[in-house]
Amino acid sequence: MKPKEIIRNLFLIWVLITSTSFCYASTNGSVSGKEIDKIKTEVKNVVNNLITGCEQANFDIAAAVFDNSPDFRYILNGNIFGYDDMLKGVNSMFKTMIDQKYTFLDEKYTILDKWTVLYTAKAKCTMNFKDGHSTVSDPEAMFMLFKKAGDKWKIIYAVESTVDKTIEKKYAENLNQIELFKQRITGVWKCETGKDTIFTWDCKDNGNAFEADSWYESNGKRFRKSKSVIVYDKNSDKYIWTRVFNKGYTDAYAWWFTSPNVLESVPISNITNPSSAYFRMRFEYLSPNSLKQIITVDNKVVDIFNVQRIDRNEQNDPSFAATNQRELLKLLSGSWKGEIGKDTFEIWNNKITDNRLEINYKDITKGKVVSEGRTFFIYDRDTHKFIGSKITKMKDPYSVIMWFTSKNTVEIIKFKDVNNTPENCSVRVLLDLTNPNKIIRTFIGEGLSPLVTNYNRINVK
């Protein structure tokens, strides 16, 4: 069915509805008064499940109400989606959200026949995101066509029209900017900005302000060097960053945390109205020693960089990671436990012999083992990395590569991505060994928001 035909059919349905007072009775599907009440109750329960799933940002609950059919169409503000594309978009959106809250101003259930019900509503919705901002849809109009197959009601067509407004949450009232800056920006940070080109940021806390040196390096030569001073401004509860380059060019920015894991930056001229800034920088912390830097120009993302914090003593020793891989492997030994979902835990039992690491894992939900497997890592002398084979009962075996990027950080990718840049890897797993008894694991999947899990050392083997 073509988009124009879909819109025409939906329009015809709307005309039919508005020309009847309550319900439409077809020749083969006419409904009585008692049936109307029963059908309305059944459909209302499905609508309530959809709203519950949306408010909790629970993809499984929300997705269950849509009909997996080639005829399915979802229209949002003029954009038309099929079933798979709609679910992919909803899943990606929910992963970035904390929750939603709906306030309904008007609802109507129109029974067309025994197998078809139209639901329309006018509502207000507030969406709260993990990065600290909120979006308010006011008003939001909904148009959903339900079809009954067997004993289940499913949405076959849906239309949403929204008027959205983004609200920058005033996290500054709840966040200690000074402490967050001390924890988050100090140290030596590195990222690859181009072929054979590395950017380094070396920031120190001098007590009253932060001072930083930065430079680009290619083929052993440093260029575009700069010095920065970052000072806290009490009136705005933001940090003012002034920078001077070795060739005399200067610039200034406002920096502030909008959530514990998100740092925003705009030119100083936009400090009172950040949302209007033509140029913006956003730093999303995946772990204490890893972040993603996103550069936006005119509300369009133009660059994304993966940045790692390294030990200051290691910054001038590029061979560190290569020469200490096998020794650092001991840090992963023992048993670890992390909560990966509601009532669900993952337990690792790691054994190290010579240059080999064996990881046996189990996923346990309410005391029951729901998944288990093992991964064998062997040290490769040529690449100074560990080559692993992952074996599970649920999936086919596949190969991975693991290596220490510093004495406290580990990166794991699939073997098929060995020649890809980090942002082009299908899957990345980052381990941050914050102390001898804690590991922060960050799972980064293509097109998905990072998933962070804390693992603690346990005695059970």
Side-chain angles (χ1 to χ4, degrees):
M1 189 177 291
K2 297 180 180 179
K4 289 184 178 179
E5 294 174 341
I6 297 168
I7 296 172
R8 183 175 66 250
N9 290 344
L10 291 173
F11 177 73
L12 291 174
I13 292 170
W14 181 254
V15 171
L16 287 172
I17 293 165
T18 55
S19 64
T20 58
S21 59
F22 187 72
C23 68
Y24 171 81
S26 70
T27 302
N28 298 319
S30 59
V31 290
S32 64
K34 291 183 179 180
E35 288 177 312
I36 289 174
D37 292 338
K38 181 175 182 294
I39 291 172
K40 182 177 178 180
T41 298
E42 291 175 350
V43 175
K44 189 172 184 178
N45 288 337
V46 180
V47 171
N48 289 340
N49 286 339
L50 173 62
I51 300 304
T52 297
C54 290
E55 290 195 327
Q56 296 178 1
N58 187 313
F59 174 75
D60 293 333
I61 295 176
V65 307
F66 296 99
D67 187 43
N68 185 0
S69 164
D71 294 327
F72 175 88
R73 292 296 183 272
Y74 171 64
I75 302 174
L76 174 63
N77 292 336
N79 297 299
I80 302 175
F81 304 91
Y83 179 80
D84 291 335
D85 287 338
M86 183 276 297
L87 287 190
K88 183 177 180 180
V90 170
N91 193 25
S92 296
M93 176 67 74
F94 279 9
K95 288 180 180 298
T96 68
M97 297 175 65
I98 299 173
D99 58 24
Q100 301 183 78
K101 178 60 180 176
Y102 281 89
T103 301
F104 285 89
L105 308 175
D106 180 64
E107 289 183 284
K108 184 176 181 180
Y109 295 84
T110 303
I111 289 80
L112 304 180
D113 56 40
K114 289 182 179 181
W115 309 284
T116 316
V117 174
L118 178 71
Y119 170 79
T120 58
K122 180 180 179 182
K124 175 181 177 181
C125 177
T126 300
M127 294 174 282
N128 299 310
F129 291 83
K130 294 176 181 177
D131 64 10
H133 83 279
S134 295
T135 298
V136 176
S137 298
D138 186 15
E140 178 171 341
M142 303 179 191
F143 177 110
M144 301 179 189
L145 190 66
F146 287 83
K147 295 290 290 184
K148 189 172 186 179
D151 61 346
K152 295 183 180 298
W153 289 93
K154 297 278 189 176
I155 297 173
I156 186 69
Y157 293 125
V159 180
E160 279 190 89
S161 178
T162 65
V163 178
D164 298 332
K165 179 181 179 182
T166 299
I167 300 174
E168 298 283 352
K169 278 195 173 181
K170 294 183 179 179
Y171 270 109
E173 297 176 358
N174 303 314
L175 298 176
N176 188 321
Q177 296 288 332
I178 296 174
E179 287 303 315
L180 282 170
F181 268 77
K182 289 178 180 292
Q183 297 169 12
R184 293 299 203 183
I185 75 164
T186 56
V188 181
W189 297 83
K190 287 180 177 286
C191 74
E192 184 177 352
T193 60
K195 185 178 180 180
D196 300 323
T197 302
I198 301 295
F199 174 76
T200 300
W201 161 273
D202 185 353
C203 184
K204 302 180 180 67
D205 179 5
N206 70 9
N208 297 318
F210 298 95
E211 297 180 7
D213 292 293
S214 65
W215 62 88
Y216 291 84
E217 187 170 349
S218 180
N219 298 320
K221 295 183 178 180
R222 293 185 181 184
F223 62 97
R224 206 183 176 194
K225 295 179 285 187
S226 70
K227 288 186 176 292
S228 302
V229 177
I230 307 164
V231 179
Y232 178 68
D233 176 57
K234 186 176 181 180
N235 292 329
S236 63
D237 196 26
K238 294 178 173 64
Y239 272 85
I240 309 302
W241 170 33
T242 56
R243 178 172 58 172
V244 58
F245 289 86
N246 58 329
K247 293 188 178 181
Y249 174 74
T250 62
D251 56 13
Y253 290 85
W255 285 29
W256 74 104
F257 280 90
T258 56
S259 80
N261 294 316
V262 177
L263 174 63
E264 297 277 0
S265 178
V266 298
I268 195 68
S269 58
N270 299 111
I271 189 171
T272 58
N273 190 12
S275 60
S276 67
Y278 179 77
F279 176 84
R280 301 183 69 164
M281 290 187 292
R282 178 187 184 87
F283 304 86
E284 297 181 355
Y285 284 82
L286 309 177
S287 73
N289 295 313
S290 175
L291 63 84
K292 179 167 63 174
Q293 180 183 1
I294 302 169
I295 298 177
T296 303
V297 176
D298 196 19
N299 293 319
K300 295 180 181 179
V301 175
V302 296
D303 273 313
I304 298 177
F305 300 112
N306 293 289
V307 190
Q308 300 286 333
R309 177 158 52 184
I310 67 172
D311 189 289
R312 188 176 299 278
N313 294 326
E314 299 163 17
Q315 62 177 310
N316 296 316
D317 182 9
S319 65
F320 174 85
T323 57
N324 289 272
Q325 293 289 330
R326 288 174 290 179
E327 186 67 24
L328 291 170
L329 193 65
K330 297 176 183 178
L331 299 174
L332 299 175
S333 65
S335 298
W336 304 80
K337 181 178 181 181
E339 185 174 3
I340 60 175
K342 184 178 181 181
D343 299 323
T344 301
F345 297 88
E346 184 171 69
I347 295 178
W348 303 338
N349 191 9
N350 301 343
K351 299 178 181 179
I352 297 174
T353 56
D354 297 327
N355 297 325
R356 185 181 73 177
L357 168 65
E358 178 182 337
I359 300 177
N360 291 274
Y361 78 88
K362 293 182 179 180
D363 294 343
I364 302 173
T365 300
K366 296 182 179 180
K368 182 179 179 181
V369 176
V370 295
S371 177
E372 59 183 318
R374 63 180 59 186
T375 304
F376 297 93
F377 284 101
I378 300 295
Y379 181 68
D380 178 57
R381 295 177 182 274
D382 294 329
T383 62
H384 298 296
K385 292 180 172 62
F386 296 92
I387 312 300
S389 297
K390 188 167 185 177
I391 304 170
T392 71
K393 294 182 178 180
M394 305 297 292
K395 299 179 180 180
D396 292 334
Y398 60 89
S399 298
V400 295
I401 301 174
M402 178 182 74
W403 70 99
F404 282 83
T405 54
S406 78
K407 68 178 183 181
N408 295 317
T409 56
V410 178
E411 181 157 350
I412 305 171
I413 61 172
K414 288 188 175 181
F415 190 83
K416 67 177 185 178
D417 293 319
V418 63
N419 294 319
N420 291 342
T421 58
E423 59 270 18
N424 290 326
C425 289
S426 57
V427 171
R428 294 175 68 211
V429 177
L430 307 178
L431 303 182
D432 184 5
L433 288 70
T434 58
N435 65 55
N437 297 312
K438 183 175 182 179
I439 296 175
I440 299 175
R441 184 189 73 171
T442 303
F443 179 90
I444 305 171
E446 187 175 10
L448 302 176
S449 298
L451 179 63
V452 179
T453 305
N454 294 318
Y455 288 81
N456 295 299
R457 189 185 294 275
I458 59 176
N459 294 324
V460 179
K461 294 187 178 180

